[in-house]
């Protein structure tokens, strides 16, 4: 008899990772935390390679964007797991004040959750101009309608590249090595 699966079944990804062919590998082959996410770092070894594998499995679950800085002012981590968020709390936790006559900003961000980024761009503007329907957590269903309703908003240029776990590493790189 054939087993029939529905969409709520088989939602687990299981991995068995062997550290080494040797049951007790040499300590010097285990690796270090030095530049942990770079596969070509001097600290690469069995354990650090397997930590990268686990981080990769976590990272590719869902795409995300993290703002890293504005006008060369670095911001604290933008993606913090299990952080309580409520309606528009990013107004106090993730904002930066610019001069009122400033017409542009240099925004640094990274895209995670994938190997290749086909296109990414940001929409930015003054909080006072943000429609109350924008909660700071969810993607607007129709970004073009959002821009039409908010003509004072600006967009960054469209960019593409590769993610942290792409075989060529993250591209493009900013001054601090992060992906735009």
């Amino acid at each position: 008899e054939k087993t029939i699966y529905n969409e709520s079944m088989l939602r687990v990804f299981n991995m068995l990772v062997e550290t080494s062919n040797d049951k007790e590998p040499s300590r010097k082959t285990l690796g270090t935390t030095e530049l942990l996410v770079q596969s070509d770092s001097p600290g690469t070894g069995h354990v650090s390679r397997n930590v990268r594998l686990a981080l990769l499995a976590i990272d590719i679950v869902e795409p995300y964007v993290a703002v890293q800085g504005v006008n060369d002012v670095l911001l604290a981590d933008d993606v913090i797991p299990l952080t309580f968020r409520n309606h528009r709390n990013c107004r106090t936790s993730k904002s930066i004040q610019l001069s009122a006559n400033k017409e542009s900003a240099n925004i640094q961000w990274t895209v995670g959750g994938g190997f290749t980024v086909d296109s990414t761009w940001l929409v930015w503007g003054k909080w006072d101009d943000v429609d109350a329907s924008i909660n700071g957590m969810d993607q607007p269903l129709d970004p073009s309608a959002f821009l039409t309703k908010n003509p004072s908003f600006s967009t960054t240029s469209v960019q593409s590249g590769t993610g942290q776990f792409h075989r060529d590493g993250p591209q493009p790189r900013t001054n601090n090595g992060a992906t735009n």
Side-chain angles (χ1 to χ4, degrees), residues 105-138:
N106 180 2
I107 304 171
Q108 298 90 30
W109 75 96
T110 186
V111 177
F115 297 106
T116 302
V117 179
D118 295 325
S119 66
T120 177
W121 70 95
L122 300 179
V123 175
W124 64 280
K126 296 179 182 177
W127 265 114
D128 294 342
D129 297 336
V130 176
D131 186 81
S133 66
I134 303 300
N135 63 14
M137 294 175 15
D138 299 316

Side-chain angles (χ1 to χ4, degrees), residues 14-168:
N14 195 9
M15 296 185 299
L16 172 62
V17 178
E18 297 287 343
T19 299
S20 169
N21 288 333
D22 298 330
K23 195 67 174 166
E24 294 181 26
S26 163
R27 187 171 187 78
K28 66 181 180 179
T29 66
L30 298 180
T32 69
T33 58
E34 180 183 1
L35 301 171
L36 184 64
V37 296
Q38 294 182 2
S39 61
D40 59 351
S41 79
T44 290
H46 296 303
V47 174
S48 51
R49 181 189 63 240
N50 293 338
V51 168
R52 281 193 304 276
L53 177 63
L55 290 172
L56 165 66
I58 294 166
D59 187 71
I60 63 173
V61 168
E62 183 175 31
Y64 60 92
V65 172
V67 176
Q68 296 181 313
V70 177
N71 293 341
D72 296 323
V73 174
L74 296 180
L75 302 174
D77 286 338
D78 192 42
V79 179
I80 305 170
L82 302 176
T83 300
F84 174 75
R85 300 182 196 285
N86 60 12
H87 185 70
R88 300 182 90 167
N89 81 321
C90 60
R91 183 173 185 161
T92 57
S93 65
K94 294 305 296 184
S95 64
I96 190 163
Q97 189 169 359
L98 300 175
S99 170
N101 60 359
K102 187 100 172 137
E103 293 187 18
S104 66
N106 180 2
I107 304 171
Q108 298 90 30
W109 75 96
T110 186
V111 177
F115 297 106
T116 302
V117 179
D118 295 325
S119 66
T120 177
W121 70 95
L122 300 179
V123 175
W124 64 280
K126 296 179 182 177
W127 265 114
D128 294 342
D129 297 336
V130 176
D131 186 81
S133 66
I134 303 300
N135 63 14
M137 294 175 15
D138 299 316
Q139 173 78 19
L141 296 178
D142 183 358
S144 60
F146 172 76
L147 286 171
T148 303
K149 283 174 57 178
N150 299 280
S152 65
F153 278 53
S154 299
T155 62
T156 62
S157 61
V158 175
Q159 299 192 30
S160 61
T162 56
Q164 177 67 41
F165 291 103
H166 189 276
R167 70 174 172 262
D168 298 329

